[in-house]
Amino acid sequence: MLDAAGLRVMRAISQEGTFTAAAHALGYSQPAVSQMVRRLEERTGTVLVERSGRAVRLTEAGQVLARHATQILEALERAEADVAAIAGLQSGVVRLMAFPSSSATLVPRALALLRREHPQITVKFTEAEPPESLAAIRSGDVDLAVAFSYEGTDPGRGEDDLAGLEVIDILTDPVMLVLPKDHPLADRPEVELADLAAETWIAGCPRCRGHLLALSQVAGFEPDVTFETEDYVAVLGLVAAGLGVALAPQLILHSVSHPDVVVRPVSPPSRRVVQIVTTPDLKRVPSVAALLDALCSSARALAVEQPVP
């Protein structure tokens, strides 16, 4: 029944006292103001303005409408300003979820870059592995998810339907072999996976364990996975103690090290792809797009530091 243009007219008439002055204040013609008042009176079913020559006086209903118009238009103007600030990257909140090994390397650089370029944007960050992060995207709990998949698979791994999601590859991350420094194969520049068939293995997250099993099957053996932990500090500690060998993405080895282990490429080579998952609509939100750009910049810097073997 009511619209913002009509409310602006009623507020202007209340403030200016005549149709002519109201029209001038709004940048309208005087006939246009008269027509808008008549339309409002038809919609409300009552007289809003009492005309007396050039002067006008608001009726009781007109005064009520003008009073509410002031409050409504002020709220609308605040809303427009808030939306404009978000669109102009002067404010905004982005919800990010990332797998743990990226939160030690890729994510901090990206957040630091975003803060330098757009300090008004707030990022709310949580950790989770896929498929939990993919479910969070679908439920609307997060705007961006940093996920990963091993070569030959996608981040859904058949467990999650990726239809309707945007999946953007940002980094190829080599998977390395971690050995005790006194291991008989530690001096080799590259280690054949088949030569580790008799070893005790330490495995990480469910997807990482699945990847180890798939690689070992191709190499002709089933690994003896004795220890399972998603904490790569613990993985390196177990390896250093001589309790087993492990595969670890090179990304995590940027921030986790141990003096009593060696890291070697494995043959056949293994890699995982780090990916950003979002939706087509969210990708167009300025603050989300800004964080996506920062994550891509961070990934490019890491790619220079860790060339694929």
Side-chain angles (χ1 to χ4, degrees):
M1 183 173 66
L2 301 175
D3 56 44
L7 293 175
R8 288 191 177 95
V9 165
M10 293 302 298
R11 182 176 65 175
I13 293 171
S14 174
Q15 292 172 342
E16 304 297 334
T18 68
F19 280 11
T20 300
H24 180 75
L26 294 171
Y28 295 163
S29 67
Q30 192 272 342
V33 168
S34 297
Q35 185 178 9
M36 294 173 76
V37 170
R38 284 195 297 271
R39 189 180 303 121
L40 275 174
E41 290 178 333
E42 291 172 0
R43 291 176 177 176
T44 58
T46 188
V47 176
L48 300 174
V49 177
E50 181 184 357
R51 299 159 181 83
S52 177
R54 294 174 60 91
V56 295
R57 184 171 62 246
L58 297 183
T59 65
E60 181 183 6
Q63 293 172 10
V64 169
L65 189 57
R67 185 169 63 250
H68 284 293
T70 298
Q71 299 169 356
I72 292 169
L73 291 170
E74 287 176 353
L76 182 60
E77 288 159 4
R78 288 194 299 271
E80 290 172 343
D82 289 346
V83 171
I86 292 171
L89 295 175
Q90 299 305 307
S91 67
V93 177
V94 186
R95 299 162 300 168
L96 173 67
M97 184 173 283
F99 61 92
S101 59
S102 71
S103 67
T105 49
L106 176 74
V107 170
R109 290 183 181 212
L111 296 185
L113 176 60
L114 185 72
R115 176 170 289 183
R116 287 196 301 272
E117 296 188 350
H118 305 291
Q120 297 89 349
I121 294 177
T122 299
V123 178
K124 294 185 176 180
F125 171 61
T126 54
E127 281 189 340
E129 302 274 3
E132 182 182 346
S133 58
L134 302 185
I137 287 285
R138 288 212 171 277
S139 66
D141 292 331
V142 299
D143 304 307
L144 287 172
V146 182
F148 67 89
S149 59
Y150 288 99
E151 288 180 315
T153 66
D154 60 47
R157 285 190 62 205
E159 304 161 16
D160 302 281
D161 181 8
L162 298 178
L165 297 180
E166 288 267 344
V167 181
I168 304 155
D169 297 348
I170 63 169
L171 179 68
T172 299
D173 188 23
V175 178
M176 310 297 286
L177 176 66
V178 184
L179 300 168
K181 70 177 184 180
D182 58 357
H183 193 279
L185 303 179
D187 292 334
R188 293 188 184 181
E190 183 178 275
V191 179
E192 293 286 337
L193 190 64
D195 291 341
L196 301 165
E199 296 288 341
T200 296
W201 285 86
I202 302 156
C205 72
R207 291 194 170 194
C208 300
R209 291 197 295 274
H211 180 61
L212 171 61
L213 293 173
L215 286 179
S216 302
Q217 185 177 25
V218 172
F221 71 95
E222 182 176 348
D224 176 16
V225 179
T226 303
F227 301 98
E228 297 183 9
T229 175
E230 298 182 23
D231 182 347
Y232 278 101
V233 174
V235 169
L236 267 60
L238 292 167
V239 172
L243 298 173
V245 299
L247 296 178
Q250 187 164 312
L251 184 63
I252 194 62
L253 298 174
H254 275 275
S255 57
V256 177
S257 62
H258 197 291
D260 295 327
V261 306
V262 295
V263 177
R264 296 289 181 264
V266 65
S267 180
S270 173
R271 300 180 181 92
R272 69 176 183 177
V273 179
V274 178
Q275 296 151 316
I276 305 297
V277 183
T278 186
T279 69
D281 288 336
L282 285 171
K283 186 180 175 183
R284 294 166 45 231
V285 174
S287 54
V288 174
L291 178 54
L292 175 57
D293 288 344
L295 287 164
C296 290
S297 296
S298 177
R300 287 192 293 270
L302 284 169
V304 171
E305 296 175 10
Q306 58 167 50
V308 178

